């Protein structure tokens, strides 16, 4: 699919909608109603600017030692390693143009450039190649720059080298790697992880369709032969990028030399799925292109900066063929003169910048280069900037310049949006102040005095389970893939009878405050303490992530400082949770649920109008691209098939709704058991309309960015930011503030629930257990201090991770804790549904479950949705087996299992 935004065309937005002569049927009435409610929606507004690339000369190849200016290189070794840019080898014509008898030279000079604070380059040092090489396949890997194949004055090469910058020694180490299976020049290479992939090229036998892989961690294994290209090609662009699900190789354009001497210039694009190991054809380039420069950028984009469309190249080849076939020397001279005039008048190569979205499979123009297009070189991505070193700018002519491109990502957040956000935050503070006047005991603070209406508790359960990460990730996942995960949300409804019939009665009739009190009554205090501590650590780990990830996404698209986002959400949530306890948490959850769903519904309605397609057109596009696939009946547990989604989803929700204090605590806030069941049913059934809304948003995002590819922000580093980006770039002021407030609401709802539940667990399961004679006022005062401490810890770690990048350590912490999540749910299943389970077996069960989860995670490739199932089942199975093995004394379990539960 190819789209271009013509000069003067207004991008999709409200001015266009209002200029339409008619709005179709029911959508027209709905839209007019929305206009009345949305600030600024009906007023004319300028089209918002999208990404742009600011180009400059970042550096220049230095003169030779004798002071002679550099003339540039075609086909050099280029890449970044250890903080420097390497440029070496290549080919040029120092003695004149080839049609004037100039001989191609293959210099062995190499240059090391360091990047200054300004982004410009300065020469660090020089080095010499042991072997001249030009037109190799090159890529930048963590261990160095790989150069494979190429050519020199001796012919085509199969040799492969790794160029590594050694900062401490101030020199470039050149390490031989295993040779290619065949000599190749003009091939393309890219690295993914530790593996180098190489495709295409020109071999002694002709244009190649070969595709190879080399693992740099195990180079002795040599090059692995992969399925060949669908068609042979050399001088193509190869990039690795996600297709929304898996990393893929994208082989773009190129050319194929034919027996008659005339090459075919390709516009084809092929995708190699690195997981499935298969090639597929994608939308072609808008025009044939070879010898181009390009790079993957952002979460799902590929940028092409130049290339040869082939008009002059093909005509030159035709003239060469005619010269070789001509026997009349006069005519040969004429044809040579004609070719010389053609090449000397070469207009230069393409200056068009093209953007490809790997998710929507759409190409679009992103402007033109302000300088001559550079081909037979590489576009090197260095952090968030792109450098194009040297290269050919016309036939036989090289440039010594290294071009630097800096991507600008616009930010949209007006004072009106700030105003809407501030009103929302003040509302949360107000609810906290109101609820604080009703907190006189821990029963009020932890259970809301059991005066919370069932419907409010239900909305709170729904709001708690829908974090800001979910708010963004469900639309992002559906945008990138399809509806396969839809039934994951529906499994919440499937577990209603189980939780309502078998779990809630125990929590209500035992008159407990912490869910883990049940485990002490059923097993012993050690099991209660272990389960409670696991919950506390899991929630503390969750706090920082729930704060950090949406803050990073919001910063990227709004320009609001990430630390300000974290502080606003963290401090205000701490305030109303600390002051008002669970009652403030629940009523803010109710408000947040309304904002969440209201904002999402506004988005659905507005996207339908902006897309402006008929239902038939929408259906055809979605059906053709398999975006509505919902059932996957394959018998595998490695992919999110229907069976995996159902089994994993049921296990996940048994754990969430039956063993998670943040949800169980809601059951305890209502006036009776019937109201608790009502809250569960409402919270669970809310999943159906919610799932329909958020999955629809993802599908509409796909339609929108497929129809308007120029509206995409190719600098987004996370797919999860696609929905916030749509909000800030395509909606009017005021509406942006409302929907960003919805993301704040989703995050703050989860935060407040975690803070209050952690406080409940620590106070009830530990402090009160060992200090039973304190006054209610003392317990209440302690609970507020714990809430403050937990909030500060979570907010503090989020701030630290946002600035220091230690999130990988935090991820490891959460990964270790996550090994026991399934086992936590398994303890409740073991206690409620078995007679013979005992404390020894329960302890063994959760420990063995953690070991099982470790092996499942590290030594199998089952889908991650199955982790909850394997953790829960392994805890129950091993817990029951060890209980039988270590029977010991029998504990009284009347009223603690389903077999002795009062009716």
């Amino acid at each position: 699919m190819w789209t271009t935004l013509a000069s003067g065309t207004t991008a999709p937005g409200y001015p266009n909608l209002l200029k339409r002569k008619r709005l179709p049927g029911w959508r027209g009435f709905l839209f007019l109603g929305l206009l009345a409610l949305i600030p600024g929606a009906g007023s004319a507004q300028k089209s918002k600017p999208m990404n742009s690339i600011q180009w400059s000369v970042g550096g220049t190849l230095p003169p030779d030692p004798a002071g002679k200016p550099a003339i540039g290189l075609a086909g050099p070794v280029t890449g970044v390693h250890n903080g420097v840019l390497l440029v070496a080898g290549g080919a040029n014509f120092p003695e004149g143009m080839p049609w004037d008898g100039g001989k191609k030279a293959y210099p062995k000079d190499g240059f090391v450039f360091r990047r200054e604070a300004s982004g410009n380059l300065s020469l660090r040092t020089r080095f010499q190649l042991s072997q001249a090489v030009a037109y190799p396949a090159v890529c930048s890997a963590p261990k160095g720059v790989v150069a494979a194949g190429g050519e020199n004055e001796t012919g085509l090469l199969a040799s492969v080298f790794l160029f590594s910058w050694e900062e401490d020694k101030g020199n470039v180490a050149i390490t031989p790697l295993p040779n290619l299976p065949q000599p190749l020049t003009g091939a393309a290479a890219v690295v993914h992880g530790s593996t180098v992939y190489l495709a295409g090229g020109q071999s002694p036998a002709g244009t190649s369709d070969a595709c190879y892989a080399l693992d740099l961690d195990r180079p002795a294994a040599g090059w692995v032969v992969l399925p060949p290209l669908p068609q042979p090609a050399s001088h193509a662009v190869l990039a690795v990028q996600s297709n929304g699900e898996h990393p893929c190789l994208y082989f773009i354009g190129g050319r194929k030399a034919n027996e008659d001497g005339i090459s075919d210039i390709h516009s084809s694009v092929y995708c190699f799925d690195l997981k499935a190991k298969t090639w597929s054809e994608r939308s072609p380039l808008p025009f044939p292109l070879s010898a181009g420069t390009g790079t993957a950028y952002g979460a799902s984009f590929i940028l092409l900066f130049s290339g040869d469309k082939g008009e002059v190249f093909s005509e030159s080849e035709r003239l060469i063929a005619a010269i070789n076939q001509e026997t009349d020397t006069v005519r040969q001279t004429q044809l040579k003169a004609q070719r010389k005039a053609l090449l000397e008048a070469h207009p230069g190569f393409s200056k068009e910048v093209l953007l490809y979205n790997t998710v929507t499979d759409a190409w679009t123009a992103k402007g033109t280069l302000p300088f001559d297009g550079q081909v037979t070189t590489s576009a090197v991505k260095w952090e968030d900037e792109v450098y194009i070193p040297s290269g050919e700018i016309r036939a036989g002519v090289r440039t010594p310049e290294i071009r630097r491109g800096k991507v600008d990502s616009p930010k949209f957040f007006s004072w009106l949006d700030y105003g809407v956000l501030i009103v929302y935050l003040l509302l949360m503070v107000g609810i906290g102040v109101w609820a604080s006047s009703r907190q006189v005991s821990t029963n009020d603070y932890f259970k809301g005095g059991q005066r919370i209406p069932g419907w409010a508790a239900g909305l709170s359960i729904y709001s708690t389970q829908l974090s800001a990460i979910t708010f963004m990730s469900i639309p992002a996942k559906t945008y990138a893939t399809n509806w396969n995960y839809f039934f994951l949300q529906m499994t919440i409804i499937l577990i209603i009878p189980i939780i309502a019939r078998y779990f809630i009665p125990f929590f209500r009739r035992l008159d407990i405050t912490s869910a883990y009190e049940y485990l002490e009554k059923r097993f012993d205090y050690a099991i209660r303490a272990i389960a409670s501590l696991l919950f506390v650590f899991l929630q503390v780990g969750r706090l920082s992530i729930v704060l950090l990830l949406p803050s990073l996404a919001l910063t990227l698209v709004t320009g609001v400082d990430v630390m300000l986002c974290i502080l606003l959400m963290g401090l205000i949530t701490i305030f109303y949770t600390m002051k008002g306890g669970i009652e403030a948490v629940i009523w803010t959850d109710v408000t947040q649920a309304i904002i969440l769903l209201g904002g999402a519904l506004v988005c659905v309605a507005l996207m339908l109008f902006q897309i402006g397609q008929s239902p038939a057109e929408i259906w055809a596009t979605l059906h053709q691209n398999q975006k509505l696939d919902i059932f996957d009946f394959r018998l595998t547990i490695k992919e999110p098939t229907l069976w995996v989604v159902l089994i994993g989803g049921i296990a996940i929700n048994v754990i969430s709704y039956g063993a998670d204090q943040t949800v169980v605590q809601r059951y305890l806030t209502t006036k009776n058991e019937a109201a608790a069941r009502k809250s569960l049913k409402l919270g669970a059934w809310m999943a159906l309309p919610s799932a329909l809304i958020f999955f629809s948003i993802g599908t509409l995002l796909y339609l929108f960015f497929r129809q308007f590819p120029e509206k995409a922000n190719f600098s987004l580093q996370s797919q999860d930011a696609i929905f916030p980006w749509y909000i800030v770039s395509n909606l009017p002021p005021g509406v942006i503030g409302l929907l960003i407030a919805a993301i704040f609401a989703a995050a703050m709802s989860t935060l407040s629930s975690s803070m209050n539940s952690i406080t409940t667990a620590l106070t009830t399961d530990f402090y009160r257990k060992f200090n039973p004679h304190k006054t209610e006022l003392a317990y209440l005062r302690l609970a507020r201090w714990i809430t403050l401490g937990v909030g500060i810890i979570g907010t503090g770690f989020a701030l630290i991770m946002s600035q220091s990048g230690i999130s990988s350590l935090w991820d490891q912490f959460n990964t270790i804790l996550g090994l026991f999540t399934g086992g936590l749910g398994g303890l409740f299943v073991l206690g409620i549904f078995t007679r013979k389970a005992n404390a020894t077996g329960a302890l063994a069960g959760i420990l063995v479950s953690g070991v099982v989860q470790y092996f499942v995670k590290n030594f199998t490739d089952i889908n991650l949705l199955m982790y909850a199932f394997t953790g829960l089942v392994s805890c129950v199975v091993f817990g029951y087996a060890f209980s039988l093995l270590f029977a010991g004394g029998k504990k009284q379990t009347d009223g603690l299992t389903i077999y002795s539960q009062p009716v």
Side-chain angles (χ1 to χ4, degrees):
M1 178 181 173
W2 161 251
T3 305
T4 183
L5 188 63
S7 176
T9 301
T10 304
Y14 296 92
N16 283 345
L17 293 171
L18 296 172
K19 290 177 184 177
R20 292 181 181 172
K21 293 182 179 179
R22 61 182 293 270
L23 288 167
W26 64 269
R27 294 196 300 171
F29 291 108
L30 177 60
F31 182 61
L32 293 174
L34 285 170
L35 286 179
L37 299 174
I38 297 171
S43 60
Q45 55 176 327
K46 295 180 180 180
S47 175
K48 295 178 179 178
M50 297 297 111
N51 293 99
S52 61
I53 305 176
Q54 305 301 318
W55 292 99
S56 62
V57 178
T60 305
L61 297 183
D64 66 17
K68 185 177 180 181
I71 61 173
L73 301 162
V77 175
T78 60
V80 171
H81 180 245
N82 205 13
V84 299
L85 173 70
L86 305 179
V87 182
N92 53 29
F93 295 96
E95 298 174 357
M97 293 296 101
W99 50 84
D100 290 328
K103 184 180 179 181
K104 179 178 283 189
Y106 296 89
K108 296 182 179 180
D109 302 305
F111 311 101
V112 178
F113 296 92
R114 64 168 174 258
R115 184 165 61 169
E116 306 295 344
S118 64
N120 291 329
L121 304 174
S122 62
L123 185 66
R124 172 73 168 78
T125 189
R126 300 171 184 256
F127 66 99
Q128 286 289 304
L129 300 178
S130 58
Q131 169 186 286
V133 60
Y135 312 106
V138 296
C139 60
S140 300
K143 293 187 175 183
V145 178
V146 177
E151 64 181 72
N152 59 23
E153 60 275 0
T154 65
L156 304 188
L157 304 171
S159 52
V160 183
F161 295 95
L162 179 71
F163 296 80
S164 306
W165 172 247
E166 299 176 326
E167 179 65 35
D168 55 338
K169 298 179 181 178
N171 71 281
V172 176
I174 304 176
T175 307
L177 293 173
N179 283 357
L180 293 169
Q182 61 176 328
L184 288 170
T185 188
V190 72
V191 68
H192 178 65
S194 64
T195 303
V196 174
Y197 295 91
L198 181 144
Q202 195 71 23
S203 73
T207 307
S208 174
D209 62 359
C211 187
Y212 305 121
L214 176 69
D215 188 344
L216 294 179
D217 286 341
R218 292 178 289 275
W223 292 87
V224 176
V225 178
L226 299 176
L229 288 164
Q231 68 176 5
S234 66
H235 297 86
V237 170
L238 186 66
V240 63
Q241 186 58 281
S242 171
N243 67 355
E245 286 188 278
H246 309 130
C248 294
L249 305 180
Y250 288 87
F251 190 84
I252 303 169
R255 65 179 186 243
K256 177 181 179 295
N258 297 314
E259 292 183 0
D260 61 2
I262 311 298
S263 297
D264 295 326
I265 310 296
H266 296 160
S267 61
S268 54
V269 177
Y270 296 102
C271 167
F272 183 74
D273 190 317
L274 291 176
K275 186 172 184 180
K277 305 297 183 187
T278 57
W279 288 98
S280 61
E281 189 168 5
R282 308 294 284 169
S283 291
L285 288 159
F287 41 76
L289 203 67
S290 74
T293 56
T295 184
Y297 207 98
S300 59
F301 298 94
I302 297 173
L303 283 165
L304 295 187
F305 302 108
S306 184
D308 186 1
K309 293 184 179 180
E311 297 99 330
V312 175
F313 182 82
S314 298
E315 180 61 24
S316 174
E317 284 190 324
R318 282 190 285 271
L319 289 171
I320 290 173
I323 291 168
N324 292 336
Q325 293 173 2
E326 185 60 61
T327 57
D328 185 338
T329 55
V330 175
R331 179 58 181 157
Q332 275 188 338
T333 302
Q334 292 174 340
L335 290 171
K336 288 179 181 179
Q338 187 177 342
R339 178 172 177 266
K340 176 180 178 180
L342 172 73
L343 296 176
E344 288 181 338
H346 196 293
F349 300 104
S350 171
K351 294 183 179 182
E352 294 180 66
V353 179
L354 304 179
L355 177 69
Y356 177 64
N357 186 330
T358 60
V359 171
T360 62
D361 190 29
W363 288 93
T364 188
K366 294 300 290 185
T368 57
L369 298 172
F371 51 85
D372 292 328
Q374 294 161 264
V375 302
T376 61
T377 184
S378 303
V380 180
K381 186 173 181 293
W382 194 350
E383 295 178 355
D384 59 344
E385 297 185 335
V386 176
Y387 291 83
I388 306 178
S390 197
E392 190 172 355
I393 57 174
R394 286 183 297 281
V397 181
R398 280 70 167 142
T399 176
E401 294 180 341
I402 303 173
R403 294 289 177 171
R404 171 192 171 212
K406 183 175 177 59
V407 176
D408 288 337
S409 182
K411 306 293 190 298
F412 311 109
F413 210 65
S414 68
W415 285 110
L416 180 58
D417 299 317
Y418 278 110
V420 172
L421 185 58
I422 289 169
V423 168
Y424 158 73
L425 295 174
L426 289 175
L427 178 60
M428 297 301 102
V429 170
I431 293 174
V433 172
W434 165 78
S436 67
S437 64
R438 298 156 64 91
Q439 311 303 304
V440 296
S441 69
T442 53
N443 185 57
D444 294 318
Y445 200 77
F446 296 142
K447 299 166 74 172
Q450 294 188 314
R451 55 179 173 259
I452 304 296
W455 64 267
L459 281 177
S460 179
I461 290 172
Y462 162 76
S463 191
T464 296
Q465 295 298 88
L466 181 67
S467 70
I469 299 172
T470 308
F471 186 90
M472 297 186 295
S473 65
I474 289 179
K477 189 69 176 178
T478 313
Y479 158 78
T481 57
N482 50 37
W483 283 51
N484 274 355
Y485 287 90
F486 179 76
F487 278 101
L488 180 63
Q489 308 302 312
M490 296 305 96
T491 55
I492 301 172
I493 297 171
L494 296 180
I495 57 94
I496 290 177
I498 301 172
I499 303 300
R501 174 66 180 85
Y502 299 113
F503 284 75
I504 287 179
F506 290 109
F507 299 137
R508 291 291 311 195
R509 295 173 191 178
L510 293 174
D511 192 28
I512 59 179
T513 301
S514 162
Y516 311 109
E517 290 180 72
Y518 165 77
L519 296 178
E520 180 181 8
K521 295 177 185 293
R522 178 63 179 84
F523 299 116
D524 62 17
Y525 178 71
I527 301 300
R528 171 186 177 181
I530 289 171
S532 185
L533 279 176
L534 275 175
F535 168 78
V536 168
F537 283 124
L538 283 165
Q539 292 300 317
V540 169
R542 187 186 187 196
L543 280 175
S544 298
I545 299 301
V546 169
L547 267 173
L548 177 64
L549 295 184
S551 296
L552 290 174
L554 291 174
T555 295
L556 189 63
V557 299
T558 65
V560 180
D561 184 73
V562 65
M563 295 185 71
L564 179 60
C565 285
I566 292 171
L567 285 171
L568 281 174
M569 287 191 283
L571 295 180
I572 291 177
T573 305
I574 291 171
F575 174 81
Y576 72 73
T577 306
M578 179 182 171
K579 294 286 289 181
I582 190 65
E583 192 164 12
V585 170
I586 287 177
W587 288 112
T588 53
D589 282 353
V590 169
T591 306
Q592 289 157 348
I594 294 170
I595 294 172
L596 281 170
L597 291 178
L601 283 170
V602 167
C603 251
V604 169
L606 295 181
M607 273 195 281
L608 281 170
F609 284 102
Q610 287 179 314
I611 292 168
Q613 293 180 327
S614 69
E617 292 172 320
I618 289 175
W619 172 258
T621 300
L622 296 177
H623 180 70
Q624 178 183 353
N625 293 280
Q626 302 175 320
K627 298 302 290 184
L628 294 179
D629 286 1
I630 192 170
F631 298 111
D632 185 345
F633 294 108
R634 290 176 297 162
L635 297 177
T636 176
I637 58 173
K638 298 179 180 180
E639 300 290 341
T641 59
L642 179 63
W643 326 111
V644 168
V645 168
L646 289 176
I647 295 170
I650 289 172
I652 289 168
N653 288 301
V654 165
I655 296 166
S656 296
Y657 286 80
D660 189 329
Q661 175 67 18
T662 59
V663 176
V664 171
Q665 197 166 342
R666 270 56 176 183
Y667 307 149
L668 307 175
T669 62
T670 57
K671 62 182 179 181
N672 54 40
E673 190 175 313
R677 287 196 176 101
K678 179 180 178 181
S679 71
L680 166 67
K681 292 175 182 177
L682 177 60
W685 277 103
M686 285 287 291
L688 178 57
S690 173
L692 288 171
I693 291 168
F694 286 106
F695 276 80
S696 296
I697 287 173
T699 301
L700 291 170
L701 286 171
Y702 172 83
L703 289 168
F704 180 85
F705 287 111
R706 182 176 171 85
Q707 185 174 353
F708 306 110
E710 72 281 355
K711 301 287 285 182
N713 182 347
F714 58 82
S715 65
L716 295 180
Q717 298 300 314
S718 169
Q719 199 78 270
D720 287 344
I722 190 70
F723 185 30
W725 168 251
Y726 165 79
I727 290 169
V728 300
S729 63
N730 294 283
L731 298 183
V735 178
I736 294 174
L738 173 67
L739 287 162
I740 296 303
I743 297 176
F744 269 68
M748 293 170 70
S749 172
T750 305
L751 288 170
S752 61
S753 297
S754 293
M755 287 180 194
N756 189 264
S757 297
I758 291 169
T759 300
T760 304
L762 290 175
T763 304
T764 305
D765 294 328
F766 298 98
Y767 185 79
R768 192 164 194 157
K769 172 72 177 177
F770 297 105
N771 298 274
H773 303 300
K774 297 287 186 179
T775 65
E776 281 297 312
L777 183 60
Y779 293 134
L780 181 59
R781 188 181 296 114
L782 174 70
R784 283 179 166 153
W785 280 109
I786 292 175
T787 302
L788 176 63
V790 168
I792 290 174
I793 290 171
T795 304
F797 270 108
L799 289 170
I800 292 169
M801 288 190 290
S802 73
Q803 299 300 311
S804 62
I806 63 165
S807 58
S808 59
L809 296 177
W810 199 250
D811 290 344
Q812 290 298 316
F813 170 71
N814 284 298
T815 297
I816 293 169
L817 291 173
L819 297 176
F820 299 96
T821 304
L824 192 58
L827 289 176
F828 284 87
V829 173
L830 193 63
I832 293 172
F833 293 97
T834 69
R835 287 191 183 99
K836 297 182 179 180
N838 58 36
T840 303
L843 178 59
I846 195 167
L847 293 176
V848 174
S849 172
V851 174
V852 169
Q853 290 296 82
Y854 174 81
F855 281 95
V856 166
K857 180 180 182 296
N858 292 285
F859 300 102
T860 73
D861 54 0
I862 68 171
N863 189 272
L864 59 86
L865 290 179
M866 292 295 292
Y867 289 178
F869 176 76
T870 56
L872 189 150
V873 170
S874 60
C875 179
V876 172
V877 170
F878 285 103
Y880 192 73
F882 278 101
S883 294
L884 295 179
L885 189 60
F886 302 100
K890 186 176 181 181
K891 182 172 180 176
Q892 178 60 251
T893 60
D894 288 346
L896 297 174
T897 71
I898 62 171
Y899 308 103
S900 58
Q901 178 185 355
V903 178

